[in-house]
Amino acid sequence: MNQGGLSSFLRKLLHLVPVVIAIASLNFVLLKLAPGDAADILGGMTGSATVEYLEQLRRELGLDQPVWLQYVHYMKRMLTLDLGMSAIQGVPVIDLILQRLPATLILMLAALVIAVFCGVLAGVTAARFKGSWIDNLTSVLALVIYATPQFWLGLMLIVLFSITLGLLPSGGMMRIGVTQTPLSAALDIAHHLILPAVTLGLFYMAVYARLMRASMLEVLSLDYISTARAKGLSESKVTWRHAFRNALLPVVTLIGIQVGHLLGGSILVETVFGWPGLGRLIFDALLQRDTDLLLGILFISSVSVVLVSLIVDLIYGLLDPRSAVA
Amino acid sequence: MKLRYLAATIPFLLAGSASAQDITRGGTLTYSYNPEPAALSTIATTSVPVVIAATKIYESLLEFEGPSLDPKPGLAEKWEISDDKLTYTFHLRPGVKWHDGKPFTSQDVKFSIEKVVKPFHSRGQTYFGTLQAIDTPDDLTVIFRLGAPVPFFMKAFQPGESPMMPRHGFTEEEIAQNRIRQAGIMQKPIGTGPFRLAEWTKGSHVILERNADYWKQGKPYLDRIVMRAIPDGAARAIALETGEIDLVPMSGLPPAEMKRLAGLDHLTATLAGSEALGPLMWLEVNVREKPLADMRVRQAISFAIDRQRLVNVIWYGNGKPARGPLVSSNPRFFNTALEPLRYDPKEAEKLLDEAGFKRGKDGVRFELTQNALPYGEEWVRQAEYIRQELGKIGIKVNNEALDMGGWLKKIYTDWNFHFTSNFIHNHSDPSIGLPRSFTTSGIRKGASFTNSMGYSNPRIDELFVQAAKLPDGAERKKIWDEVQVILQKELPVIFLIEMGYNNVFNKRVNGLITNGISLYSNWDSVWIKK
């Protein structure tokens, strides 16, 4: 990267600061709009809370202060990257997030790899054999998978692979209460990872396949491809060397979007498979009005989504030098 | 049906404890409940998942047996109660150690009650509100001095209600700043119980291991208890089916799944084990609202609902029609003379006509909004069924869905509702479970699961005050009988169902259901057949 590229990157990074602040503020406002607070939930869970007990809880949680003051405290904390304490669990938010982050990253990465690799391969193949039975089969399969609810797909995979065939565990991230070597632990996690990663990856695989097919067909109709063919290059060389790289651009855009979606989409998959990731932490925090925890996760994830989109920009520049200038 | 069959054989299950040579030691009991506990102490909250886990770690002064919870020696070996019921002297068992090896003493008891349970447990004030002093003449003697008699005082010493917590488990800072509920010990418990925390991976599992220094010789039988977080009901059912977990307690399975699982050879399904909690479901009615203020309207609503059908269709046979504010399985206080609540739509229409709510041109008398308790599918189905039944007698019902936070605020903070489904626990004594729902002092804006109805009856208030002072006996029983008659007639809530908590477990698990609060017991006698 040259001098101009670096400064433009820094400029873009700087532009993200107001975006992140705006997102953080929006998160706060949206959560405050929801009726009820953590004290209501904590009191409700005990089944017989007194008014004094609730007041004491609100004092402990800082919920007795005016909303604007809570907002000031919150923004001050966010800007110093202090995410606060979980009201329900009484543990620092950052600890909870860090505990869950590895599980989420493993699942996201595996799902992403499955989705991109299989999806792109299927899309390219379908485009290359356009109109053939391969193309038709790929399109129909992609449509069916795209239309299937993820949690149902997950449950059906459990019924097939866990109950009927007894091949794969139905839930959890690893066997519990057994001491393992690093290698056996890794294999154990991989074993548990297959079903949730496939479930989560399949939906996007379908999307990639359709997108890649369309993109390839478009690129394959361009003049430079005709030139390449006219030079006498083999069809596979035309496909992979010349068309593939250009057709990949929209897929890269989608990957950026998918990373953001994976966090939300993984809630259902994590729920079905009991996968101890961030998705479920968000879900539980939402149901329990654990505002600080929720705001913390939202903040971290919005920052990561913004960063990912920046990285996508960079990759775009590498794939297509013309767009790097902009 | 299998469920009912088992419910009818509770005495058999209770008596079915194995002889000593049958028992196999060791092994792991794995159960699943959702959500996973937020803390491992009932001081933080008394939500079901917390109580299930914390009661294996923490003990109280007494243990309890039988459906009516008769007190038995626990951390206290013996006790004396003064004739005026104002002084309770407990003699502690010598040689009891905390999980970190330090001795358990009367100082810990004093600290637990005064600094932890009374101010911070959600029912601390109920049990210890009249407590004046705790004396500790020596390390093994504790004397409670009350300002007024509390008839249910001995019930306070259950592991989930008054857990004994070590003074040294809290930092000086936590005690000085009163940060008891956020104290580190809430996440890393130190108790005296048969199991201690070995590992807690948030979002995945909690492992409790055998306390090798437990004061009961040879117990516990299990090596380990594992709580696995499986958030999806269907996935929990699958894990039970494949043997990955041994137990789903306290209605942790969708009722529909339960019926299917109960038919499997390797599983047992039972409603026994929660009698002392006495879960009771009703429609909470806002009597401040004009039509509902009229007792005849509430009676009409009651007549319009076929409770047996609710039980059969919505709850898959899980429970039985309620008759009043106490569950009929309460052996000491239920008024057996109470008539069942009838299903009689004709009578309902007559009452509404009498009350002056005639049908309009469109056949509608008036409109009401209904909220369902946001606890899942069945509650929504039930709300739909009730809407349909009330529609038949000319009451148009609009259902409105909320999540838990919104529901709590609408019902208890704003009192802005017509009626909602809800359930409460009777507990073993009506003086513990009922006042907050039916007395005038229970009308407290913002306090959840209280008298949101705004129901106030001086006679009821007076009876509750009397009952809280009288020693158990015929006179006190007479008071509760009258309370039940009045509430059944005036219907500040529409009593619906005596619910049962279903427990589904692998047949290799033994000794699980032994008293009226078995899932909250310490499981030191539970064993697994190899």
Side-chain angles (χ1 to χ4, degrees):
Chain A
M1 201 179 289
N2 61 26
Q3 201 67 42
L6 188 66
S7 77
S8 103
F9 174 73
L10 287 176
R11 208 175 55 239
K12 276 183 181 161
L13 206 60
L14 212 64
H15 282 166
L16 295 183
V17 174
V19 173
V20 169
I21 291 178
I23 292 173
S25 307
L26 192 66
N27 287 344
F28 183 87
V29 172
L30 284 177
L31 285 189
K32 280 293 158 193
L33 284 179
D37 59 25
D40 282 330
I41 299 277
L42 271 172
M45 287 197 302
T46 67
S48 49
T50 61
V51 178
E52 293 76 23
Y53 174 86
L54 286 171
E55 276 168 5
Q56 182 197 344
L57 272 178
R58 290 213 165 82
R59 260 197 313 281
E60 283 174 18
L61 302 172
L63 292 168
D64 56 335
Q65 297 167 339
V67 175
W68 66 268
L69 199 62
Q70 292 182 39
Y71 174 75
V72 171
H73 286 313
Y74 159 71
M75 283 313 281
K76 225 164 43 193
R77 285 197 288 104
M78 288 303 123
L79 293 176
T80 53
L81 292 178
D82 169 12
L83 299 184
M85 295 276 278
S86 154
I88 305 289
Q89 310 205 26
V91 176
V93 167
I94 191 72
D95 291 359
L96 288 172
I97 294 179
L98 290 178
Q99 277 169 6
R100 298 290 186 92
L101 200 59
T104 291
L105 288 180
I106 291 174
L107 181 59
M108 272 175 71
L109 216 65
L112 197 66
V113 168
I114 292 173
V116 173
F117 183 77
C118 301
V120 165
L121 197 69
V124 171
T125 315
R128 199 178 147 185
F129 302 102
K130 188 187 164 218
S132 72
W133 67 270
I134 299 180
D135 182 24
N136 290 336
L137 185 70
T138 316
S139 298
V140 168
L141 271 181
L143 193 68
V144 168
I145 293 170
Y146 184 77
T148 308
Q150 274 189 337
F151 75 94
W152 188 81
L153 188 67
L155 282 173
M156 289 307 109
L157 288 175
I158 292 178
V159 168
L160 180 61
F161 289 99
S162 302
I163 299 189
T164 311
L165 299 174
L167 287 176
L168 295 167
S170 69
M173 189 172 164
M174 57 195 302
R175 280 182 293 152
I176 294 165
V178 284
T179 34
Q180 307 203 56
T181 62
L183 179 71
S184 73
L187 288 174
D188 193 24
I189 291 177
H191 193 212
H192 283 78
L193 181 64
I194 297 173
L195 285 183
V198 167
T199 307
L200 193 56
L202 273 177
F203 174 81
Y204 271 92
M205 185 178 105
V207 180
Y208 288 125
R210 287 161 66 89
L211 190 69
M212 196 66 197
R213 179 180 176 274
S215 179
M216 277 299 276
L217 287 178
E218 194 191 323
V219 173
L220 283 173
S221 71
L222 293 179
D223 288 347
Y224 79 97
I225 297 293
S226 310
T227 314
R229 288 214 177 99
K231 282 198 304 188
L233 290 182
S234 74
E235 194 57 25
S236 77
K237 235 178 196 163
V238 171
T239 305
W240 292 106
R241 281 273 173 79
H242 293 258
F244 179 70
R245 189 165 135 170
N246 277 330
L248 207 55
L249 283 175
V251 170
V252 172
T253 313
L254 189 67
I255 292 174
I257 297 171
Q258 189 197 349
V259 171
H261 277 196
L262 267 175
L263 216 55
S266 61
I267 293 176
L268 287 176
V269 173
E270 285 181 9
T271 301
V272 170
F273 290 98
W275 191 263
L278 273 181
R280 271 187 40 227
L281 193 62
I282 297 179
F283 190 62
D284 290 346
L286 183 69
L287 287 186
Q288 298 170 333
R289 292 286 188 281
D290 197 342
T291 319
D292 279 5
L293 176 56
L294 201 51
L295 286 171
I297 308 171
L298 289 177
F299 183 75
I300 295 282
S301 40
S302 37
V303 169
S304 7
V305 168
V306 167
L307 284 178
V308 167
S309 66
L310 189 67
I311 294 169
V312 168
D313 265 7
L314 287 176
I315 296 177
Y316 232 87
L318 294 178
L319 282 173
D320 182 357
R322 286 170 302 172
S323 67
V325 189
Chain B
M1 195 179 115
K2 191 157 189 173
L3 272 181
R4 285 221 207 102
Y5 171 69
L6 277 161
T9 54
I10 297 167
F12 164 77
L13 282 172
L14 293 175
S17 54
S19 57
Q21 63 264 35
D22 290 341
I23 293 171
T24 45
R25 281 158 209 282
T28 301
L29 172 73
T30 306
Y31 75 94
S32 180
Y33 199 82
N34 190 57
E36 71 169 327
L40 287 178
S41 163
T42 52
I43 299 302
T45 104
T46 42
S47 64
V48 174
V50 175
V51 188
I52 295 176
T55 46
K56 319 300 173 263
I57 302 168
Y58 289 104
E59 295 177 298
S60 193
L61 296 183
L62 302 173
E63 292 187 359
F64 297 85
E65 269 318 325
S68 66
L69 299 187
D70 306 317
K72 295 267 180 299
L75 289 176
E77 268 184 323
K78 49 187 194 297
W79 54 87
E80 294 108 37
I81 305 169
S82 68
D83 289 339
D84 59 5
K85 312 280 180 192
L86 291 175
T87 312
Y88 289 72
T89 307
F90 290 96
H91 301 279
L92 303 183
R93 190 176 299 277
V96 175
K97 288 197 181 99
W98 294 101
H99 290 160
D100 60 3
K102 299 217 168 72
F104 165 74
T105 71
S106 58
Q107 286 305 315
D108 292 312
V109 180
K110 186 176 162 68
F111 170 80
S112 298
I113 301 301
E114 285 180 350
K115 298 288 182 203
V116 181
V117 174
K118 185 180 172 188
F120 290 104
H121 191 283
S122 61
R123 280 181 286 279
Q125 286 294 333
T126 308
Y127 294 121
F128 299 107
T130 71
L131 180 68
Q132 291 188 322
I134 298 178
D135 299 339
T136 53
D138 60 62
D139 272 0
L140 295 177
T141 309
V142 187
I143 305 167
F144 289 81
R145 299 189 189 281
L146 308 184
V150 179
F152 49 87
F153 192 69
M154 293 294 273
K155 294 283 194 299
F157 298 99
Q158 298 172 39
E161 303 294 272
S162 301
M164 290 302 135
M165 307 194 86
R167 169 75 175 76
H168 66 269
F170 294 82
T171 66
E172 293 309 319
E173 200 194 349
E174 284 164 355
I175 295 172
Q177 297 179 0
N178 259 333
R179 285 196 296 116
I180 299 297
R181 214 178 273 123
Q182 292 83 29
I185 195 171
M186 298 293 143
Q187 303 287 322
K188 294 194 174 74
I190 305 167
T192 57
F195 297 92
R196 60 173 146 216
L197 178 65
E199 186 186 321
W200 184 0
T201 305
K202 289 265 167 74
S204 171
H205 61 270
V206 180
I207 302 179
L208 306 179
E209 65 181 8
R210 179 173 207 275
N211 171 10
D213 288 332
Y214 190 50
W215 54 269
K216 277 185 205 165
Q217 286 290 315
K219 288 190 175 178
Y221 297 139
L222 293 170
D223 282 340
R224 262 186 318 205
I225 297 172
V226 174
M227 193 297 303
R228 264 188 59 184
I230 305 176
D232 183 68
R236 274 197 297 283
I238 286 171
L240 202 58
E241 191 175 351
T242 59
E244 281 179 61
I245 58 175
D246 304 304
L247 160 71
V248 179
M250 304 288 288
S251 296
L253 285 174
E257 292 283 357
M258 165 142 173
K259 199 175 169 188
R260 179 176 70 82
L261 292 175
L264 295 179
D265 284 343
H266 69 295
L267 296 178
T268 299
T270 174
L271 297 176
S274 310
E275 294 79 5
L277 283 177
L280 179 66
M281 188 208 296
W282 60 44
L283 292 180
E284 216 149 298
V285 225
N286 191 346
V287 301
R288 298 171 197 85
E289 300 287 334
K290 189 175 148 258
L292 296 168
D294 193 319
M295 191 167 83
R296 288 168 297 186
V297 172
R298 304 198 295 270
Q299 287 168 340
I301 294 176
S302 174
F303 278 127
I305 299 169
D306 184 347
R307 292 168 173 79
Q308 189 59 53
R309 219 159 125 201
L310 260 189
V311 170
N312 293 348
V313 176
I314 309 288
W315 299 96
Y316 298 86
N318 223 331
K320 54 183 175 180
R323 286 206 257 172
L326 274 180
V327 293
S328 58
S329 61
N330 190 314
R332 284 186 299 157
F333 300 108
F334 180 70
N335 183 352
T336 46
L338 283 184
E339 291 287 324
L341 288 159
R342 268 190 301 134
Y343 169 60
D344 190 344
K346 286 220 180 71
E347 183 70 27
E349 299 241 28
K350 212 178 96 199
L351 280 167
L352 289 172
D353 284 341
E354 269 174 37
F357 296 100
K358 303 267 193 232
R359 281 182 189 260
K361 282 199 197 82
D362 50 359
V364 175
R365 299 170 192 273
F366 52 84
E367 285 190 32
L368 294 174
T369 305
Q370 172 175 225
N371 296 99
L373 182 68
Y375 269 23
E377 274 297 287
E378 292 77 25
W379 298 88
V380 179
R381 299 278 159 274
Q382 172 165 292
E384 284 162 0
Y385 173 74
I386 288 170
R387 177 178 60 186
Q388 181 190 323
E389 291 303 288
L390 294 190
K392 287 182 194 162
I393 60 164
I395 302 176
K396 187 173 178 216
V397 175
N398 305 304
N399 284 348
E400 185 191 73
L402 290 168
D403 77 340
M404 198 64 199
W407 183 83
L408 286 165
K409 183 160 189 299
K410 190 173 167 100
I411 307 298
Y412 295 106
T413 309
D414 298 343
W415 290 339
N416 175 26
F417 70 106
H418 284 140
F419 69 98
T420 176
S421 49
N422 197 3
F423 76 97
I424 54 112
H425 286 163
N426 267 178
H427 292 278
S428 48
D429 192 294
S431 281
I432 304 174
L434 293 187
R436 67 177 194 268
S437 296
F438 297 113
T439 61
T440 308
S441 59
I443 306 176
R444 312 194 69 185
K445 212 163 187 167
S448 42
F449 298 94
T450 52
N451 185 349
S452 69
M453 302 85 77
Y455 172 75
S456 179
N457 177 342
R459 177 66 186 152
I460 286 284
D461 290 349
E462 189 191 316
L463 291 171
F464 270 90
V465 170
Q466 283 178 18
K469 283 188 202 144
L470 285 172
D472 266 351
E475 217 179 327
R476 191 158 180 259
K477 168 82 170 100
K478 232 174 79 193
I479 289 181
W480 289 127
D481 282 352
E482 188 182 341
V483 166
Q484 290 170 68
V485 170
I486 295 174
L487 292 178
Q488 198 207 36
K489 173 162 168 269
E490 301 202 339
L491 294 172
V493 301
I494 316 292
F495 302 104
L496 292 183
I497 297 175
E498 296 175 5
M499 300 199 295
Y501 281 122
N502 63 53
N503 300 296
V504 189
F505 53 95
N506 199 303
K507 289 214 169 92
R508 66 198 197 103
V509 179
N510 293 274
L512 192 63
I513 312 284
T514 58
N515 65 37
I517 195 160
S518 291
L519 285 304
Y520 290 178
S521 297
N522 69 14
W523 291 1
D524 64 6
S525 302
V526 173
W527 56 279
I528 278 190
K529 195 187 251 157
K530 292 212 172 111

